[in-house]
Amino acid sequence: MALYQKIEGKYNQMNIEVISHEIINHEQINHEQINHEQINHELINHEIINHEHIRQKNVSLDMSLLSAGYQGIRGAYSEEALISYFGEEIQAQAFDTFEGVFKAVRDGKIHYGVVPVENSSTGDIKDVYDLLIAHDLKVVGEQYLQIKHHLLGLPGSLVGDIQKVYSHTQGIEQCGSFLSTHPAITPVAYSNTAKSAALVEATGDKHITAIGSRRAAVIYNLAILKENIQDNVTNSTRFLVIAKDHEPKAEADRLSLVFSLPHKAGALYHALEKFAVHDVNLLRIISRPIKNKPWFYFFFVDVAGNLAAPEIVTAIEEVKDMSEYFAVLGNYKENSMQRE
Ligand SMILES: O=C(O)C(=O)C[C@]1(C(=O)O)C=C[C@@H](O)C=C1
């Protein structure tokens, strides 16, 4: 506990809660009979939720007591990611925007949000990073999803007759080669791939199509006019599972941090050096502008490790000391699909 205490007040508070409640005690889960009612009560109160750990220990929890939000409508890739992470039983709630998901989590209307954060072909989904800062939410998990885009149209539509294709900007970008070889089809950016599919069904127009998933085709009664039109066969998107509070996990092996540094020669170099010196593997780094401070940046850095490891604590303590702003976004279990 002392280690967490050194890093962040909130972590400290969380650990005190974990210890004082003594509900989800890893040892207890292993060796003793579990009081399910008590655990579910904790889940409802949105306190110590360690579903990942519990799932691994084959403890059956009533997931239907939990809610998670995603952007779009049924058939969106985000909904698929949500189901892959939590399973079918959780109450999935659809929101029009990413911001809607973030606000609902922040206001305690839903327990979790599942939002895309990066794509293997097109890179960062920048809005999500900005929203993480703006709403002060935590990352408690991640989910990779292979993205296979298909050209969806009304049954009987012919590729040669298509005038427009609707999709999320990511869907359009990820299918750039297909679109460049079909110049007669005008891409139209829409808020979501599943919403695009629903629009095609609603118009009843055989000249209009959508880029979306096989699942969306089934839900919105569309035919797959051309399958796998994404540029890369390995196309995949990484989603973050966000929550209001940290969820410390013994098996967490990925740590997401955000910090800003003074404008000094070598500031970033020296910050990253701390990870190298303490043998901490850097997994990812991106920068985003600090909106009210022109030409200053937030660095979002992911490293491998658990906050209980002394070398991690030392490294991030040292980075924190050099930073003008510093926060632990979350320490969670890496999804195994990564870097396969
Ligand atoms: O439009 C969807 O279906 C989404 O879930 C959004 C989204 C994204 O924002 O990247 C998710 C995964 C794919 O990369 C394409 C679109």
Side-chain angles (χ1 to χ4, degrees), residues 7-56:
I7 300 159
E8 230 194 331
K10 279 178 192 158
Y11 251 102
N12 175 27
Q13 208 183 328
M14 174 62 88
N15 277 306
I16 291 169
E17 273 173 27
V18 170
I19 289 159
S20 66
H21 280 85
E22 285 178 7
I23 298 297
I24 300 178
N25 173 323
H26 297 176
E27 283 308 307
Q28 235 175 320
I29 288 170
N30 272 335
H31 305 298
E32 291 176 26
Q33 227 196 335
I34 292 151
N35 181 340
H36 293 259
E37 248 178 50
Q38 212 171 359
I39 290 177
N40 281 332
H41 175 70
E42 283 296 313
L43 290 170
I44 295 164
N45 284 334
H46 193 209
E47 292 197 341
I48 314 145
I49 304 167
N50 199 336
H51 55 87
E52 190 61 40
H53 183 80
I54 291 160
R55 213 160 47 182
Q56 281 173 18

Side-chain angles (χ1 to χ4, degrees), residues 4 24 73 118 150 173 194 198-199 202 226 255 327:
Y4 283 113
I24 300 178
I73 54 174
E118 58 173 316
H150 311 296
E173 270 187 69
L199 178 78
K226 186 119 179 63
L255 179 65

Side-chain angles (χ1 to χ4, degrees), residues 295-316:
W295 322 125
F296 278 77
Y297 301 89
F298 284 124
F299 296 103
F300 288 84
V301 169
D302 285 3
V303 296
N306 188 293
L307 270 178
E311 69 279 9
I312 295 283
V313 176
T314 310
I316 70 172

